[in-house]
């Protein structure tokens, strides 16, 4: 499995997965809107999207949105979206994508925060960032 930052070459397959992700969240199917949304995110570089590839096919993604925390007085990345195709959910894909995001956040001195619980992952007293 390969995990890397998404780029414009991933737009078509990533848009299909993003549409499936939104449908899982009880949203109507809307591939054109998903495509447009992700195209803008990639063009504006205002989110980071990691994709997981198996046999050159995108099987999952994780999306992070940069922001700042007034409470923590630090830059943060909100882990907003995570999706893996059902056939690959037992392949440790989410964990590996999360680890990649943690490593990048740590290397850049950024706090990684899960939108579901608004708590930083793996808080450590000795680290300048929470991963």
């Amino acid at each position: 499995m390969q995990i890397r930052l998404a780029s414009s070459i991933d737009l078509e397959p990533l848009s299909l997965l993003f549409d499936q992700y939104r449908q899982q969240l009880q949203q109507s199917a809307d591939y054109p809107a998903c495509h447009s949304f992700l195209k803008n995110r990639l063009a504006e570089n205002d989110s980071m999207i990691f994709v997981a590839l198996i046999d050159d096919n995108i099987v999952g993604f994780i999306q992070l949105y940069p922001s700042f925390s007034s409470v923590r007085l630090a830059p943060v990345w909100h882990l907003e979206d995570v999706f893996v195709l059902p056939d690959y959910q037992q392949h440790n894909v989410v964990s590996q994508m999360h680890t990649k995001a943690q490593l990048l956040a740590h290397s850049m001195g950024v706090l990684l925060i899960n939108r579901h619980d608004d708590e930083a992952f793996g808080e450590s007293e000795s680290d300048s960032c929470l991963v």
Side-chain angles (χ1 to χ4, degrees):
M1 177 177 357
Q2 177 189 14
I3 297 173
R4 61 171 171 73
L5 284 170
S7 70
S8 59
I9 64 168
D10 303 311
L11 185 56
E12 301 300 324
L14 182 57
S15 297
L16 288 169
L17 259 65
F18 194 69
D19 195 24
Q20 290 178 38
Y21 163 71
R22 293 185 71 253
Q23 290 174 51
Q24 177 183 290
L25 298 173
Q26 315 314 315
Q27 302 301 307
S28 299
D30 193 346
Y31 174 82
C34 290
H35 185 274
S36 176
F37 179 81
L38 291 175
K39 183 178 180 181
N40 289 334
R41 299 295 62 77
L42 293 170
E44 297 294 326
N45 202 27
D46 56 7
S47 78
M48 285 168 287
I49 306 169
F50 286 93
V51 291
L53 296 103
I54 295 178
D55 298 326
D56 295 325
N57 296 311
I58 296 176
V59 300
F61 69 88
I62 186 171
Q63 185 162 211
L64 310 168
Y65 288 95
S67 188
F68 296 92
S69 170
S70 299
V71 173
R72 293 186 174 97
L73 299 174
V76 297
W77 289 344
H78 291 275
L79 192 160
E80 185 69 19
D81 308 306
V82 178
F83 180 76
V84 175
L85 289 171
D87 290 346
Y88 296 92
Q89 291 178 356
Q90 301 302 317
H91 288 81
N92 204 26
V93 177
V94 171
S95 176
Q96 290 185 49
M97 287 189 300
H98 184 260
T99 297
K100 192 76 149 188
Q102 285 178 324
L103 290 172
L104 183 59
H106 183 75
S107 72
M108 297 182 73
V110 175
L111 307 172
L112 185 58
I113 297 176
N114 185 336
R115 77 169 170 99
H116 298 290
D117 59 17
D118 279 339
E119 291 185 18
F121 290 112
E123 185 170 348
S124 169
E125 293 176 27
S126 63
D127 291 338
S128 61
C129 70
L130 307 178
V131 294

